[in-house]
Amino acid sequence: MTIEQRTRLSWPEVIFRELMAPLQSGVYHITKAVTGLAGNVVRLFYLYSENDRLKAENEALLAELSAAREALRENEELRAFLQLAKDKQKEIVVAEVIARSPVSWFNTIVLNKGATSGIRQDMAVITPEGVVGRIFSVTAHTSQAHLITDPKSAVGGRVQRTGEIVLVEGIGSPDDARVRVKLLDREVDLQPGDKIVTSGLSDIYPKGLLIGEVVEVHEVQHGLNRYGILVPAADIAHLEWVAVITK
Amino acid sequence: MSWRHITAGLLVVLTAIVVQTALLNRFIPGVSPDLLIALVTAAGLVGGPPRGAVTGLFCGLFTDLMVDRLLGLGTISMVAAGLISGLLGQGLFRENFVVPFLVGGVVTACRQSLFYLGALAFGVHIPFGESLTAVVIPSICYNGLLTGLLFPLWQRLVRRLYRL
C-alpha cells in the first residue's frame, strides 16, 4: 500500500495493465460492434415497419388519387350531359349502364333507371357524343335499350352535307363499331367522311342528333345498289353513362 | 337432389349470370368468354347428357329472361349445349386435360350455330361472314379456353351439386 503519489508503476501493475489492455480493447470493440449491430437491427425493424407504413400510405393515397380522378371524370361526363340537355332543350334522365346482353348476338344494355324515373319505351338514348339507341323494355327501376348496332335497329338519318335521307341499320357488330347506312335512293350522294344525323322523321329520335361518320361506301349487285359503313359517334363499346330523352 | 342442392345450384347459375353481364360482357368489348357455357359443358362432361341438359335449361332460362326477344332460343341452345357436352363426355376420355378445352369449343360452335339459325328463322338477319369471324370463331376460342381453365372448379361444384 502506498499513500503518496507515485511516479513509477510497480512491475505487477505494468504487467497486469499490459495484459488487460488488449482484453479491454477487444471487449470494448466487440461491445461497440454488437451495440451498433443491435442498433442497426432495431433500426432495420423500424425501417421495415416504416416502409410498410409508407407503402400502405402510398397505396391509400394512390387509391384516393384514382378515386378523385374517377370522380373528376364522372363529373365532367355528367356536366357534358347537362350541357347537352341545355343545348337540345330537352329533358333528360342520366342513367348508368349496369350490364350488357348475355348473348353476344344482340347489342343491348341495361340501365339502372326505369319507370319510376320517367323512362318509357321508345325513348331515345344518347351520350353527348351521339345517338346510342332506344329504350325497348322498362321495369320500375331498370330499363333495357337496344343499341344502334343491334341487328334489329333502324334509325332514320340525314346526310348532314346534302340533307338527303338515309336509313342507319345495325348489323350486329359485336364490337359495336360499325353500322350500315342504307340508301333509300341509289342516287343519294354519300361519301366517306359524311356525317349522319337523325332525320327527326320518327317519334323516337329528335332531329339533328349526330349518329356517326361514314367511313366506307360500297357498291353491290354490279353497281346497282350502294351502302355505306358508319362508325357511331358515341363510344358504344365503352358506355358508362347515358342520357334518356324523356321530353 | 335436396332443396338445399337445388337452391345452391340456382345461386351458382345466378352468380355466373351476374358476373357475365355486369363484368365480363361490360368490360370486355365485343365477344367475351361465356361462364355459363363453361358451366353447362362441365355439367355435361361430369354428369352426362341429362344433367348437362338440366343445367343448360336453367342457364338458358335465366339468360332468356334478360334478353327481351327470341324468348326460348337461349334455353333451347343451352339445353342442346348441355346434351352435346354430355354425349361427347361419354365418348371421350374426360380425365385427359385437353378434353374440356376441346369440348368447350365444340359446344360453343354448336350453340352459336343454333342461335344464329334460330335468329335467322325469326327474322333477325345477321351477316354470315361477319358473324363467323366476329362472333363464332372468337367465342369458340374464348370458351374453349375458359372451359378448360375452369373445369377443375366447375367439376367439383357439379359433383357436389349433383352428389356424384
Side-chain angles (χ1 to χ4, degrees), chain A residues 13-192:
Chain A
E13 285 171 311
V14 173
I15 292 170
F16 185 72
R17 286 186 195 185
E18 284 296 325
L19 285 174
M20 287 303 285
L23 294 174
Q24 282 170 324
S25 171
V27 169
Y28 168 74
H29 281 108
I30 289 169
T31 313
K32 194 179 165 189
V34 169
T35 316
L37 190 69
N40 281 343
V41 170
V42 169
R43 207 172 301 131
L44 196 65
F45 276 117
Y46 172 75
L47 282 177
Y48 272 127
S49 65
E50 178 77 358
N51 191 30
D52 285 345
R53 192 182 62 77
L54 287 173
K55 263 186 189 167
E57 205 173 289
N58 190 33
E59 273 168 24
L61 285 172
L62 281 175
E64 259 178 50
L65 182 69
S66 167
R69 278 188 186 147
E70 185 64 16
L72 190 71
R73 193 185 58 77
E74 266 184 30
N75 197 357
E76 276 169 10
E77 212 169 315
L78 294 174
R79 211 185 283 267
F81 278 113
L82 287 178
Q83 190 60 43
L84 175 78
K86 213 170 160 184
D87 291 347
K88 300 285 175 195
Q89 293 179 322
K90 300 280 177 197
E91 277 184 29
I92 60 166
V93 171
V94 178
E96 195 172 7
V97 178
I98 54 169
R100 280 194 171 244
S101 167
V103 178
S104 358
W105 297 100
F106 301 139
N107 309 62
T108 60
I109 49 173
V110 181
L111 309 181
N112 69 342
K113 300 244 169 92
T116 51
S117 305
I119 296 176
R120 303 277 177 272
Q121 197 179 18
D122 284 338
M123 284 179 168
V125 183
I126 59 171
T127 67
E129 289 78 37
V131 176
V132 168
R134 71 182 173 98
I135 299 292
F136 188 76
S137 59
V138 186
T139 66
H141 300 101
T142 70
S143 48
Q144 195 164 107
H146 285 182
L147 303 170
I148 54 169
T149 49
D150 187 86
K152 273 288 197 187
S153 164
V155 184
R158 190 187 291 272
V159 183
Q160 206 173 38
R161 182 173 54 86
T162 61
E164 286 172 299
I165 301 293
V166 291
L167 193 64
V168 179
E169 293 178 327
I171 50 173
S173 158
D175 53 0
D176 289 314
R178 285 146 30 102
V179 290
R180 190 200 304 263
V181 181
K182 192 172 171 182
L183 308 184
L184 301 180
D185 178 355
R186 202 217 166 280
E187 301 307 317
V188 168
D189 178 18
L190 187 74
Q191 289 170 13

Side-chain angles (χ1 to χ4, degrees), chain A residues 96-108 110 136-137 144 146 150-152 170-176 178 180 237-240, chain B residues 20-22 25-26 29-31 34 36 63 66-70 111-113 115-116 119 122-127 130-131 134-136 139:
Chain A
E96 195 172 7
V97 178
I98 54 169
R100 280 194 171 244
S101 167
V103 178
S104 358
W105 297 100
F106 301 139
N107 309 62
T108 60
V110 181
F136 188 76
S137 59
Q144 195 164 107
H146 285 182
D150 187 86
K152 273 288 197 187
I171 50 173
S173 158
D175 53 0
D176 289 314
R178 285 146 30 102
R180 190 200 304 263
H238 303 99
L239 289 172
E240 207 172 325
Chain B
Q20 185 67 45
T21 54
N25 289 4
R26 205 182 143 193
V31 174
D34 195 333
L36 297 169
T63 305
M66 299 198 69
V67 182
D68 42 20
R69 64 194 146 148
L70 298 183
R111 195 223 168 189
Q112 298 289 37
S113 308
F115 206 98
Y116 177 80
F122 285 100
V124 182
H125 182 74
I126 307 161
E130 179 130 359
S131 312
V135 180
V136 180
S139 60

Side-chain angles (χ1 to χ4, degrees), chain B residues 96-144:
Chain B
N96 187 322
F97 84 100
V98 183
V99 169
F101 289 92
L102 291 176
V103 175
V106 172
V107 165
T108 303
C110 296
R111 195 223 168 189
Q112 298 289 37
S113 308
L114 204 62
F115 206 98
Y116 177 80
L117 293 173
L120 212 59
F122 285 100
V124 182
H125 182 74
I126 307 161
F128 179 74
E130 179 130 359
S131 312
L132 193 70
T133 54
V135 180
V136 180
I137 294 172
S139 60
I140 288 172
C141 299
Y142 265 147
N143 294 343

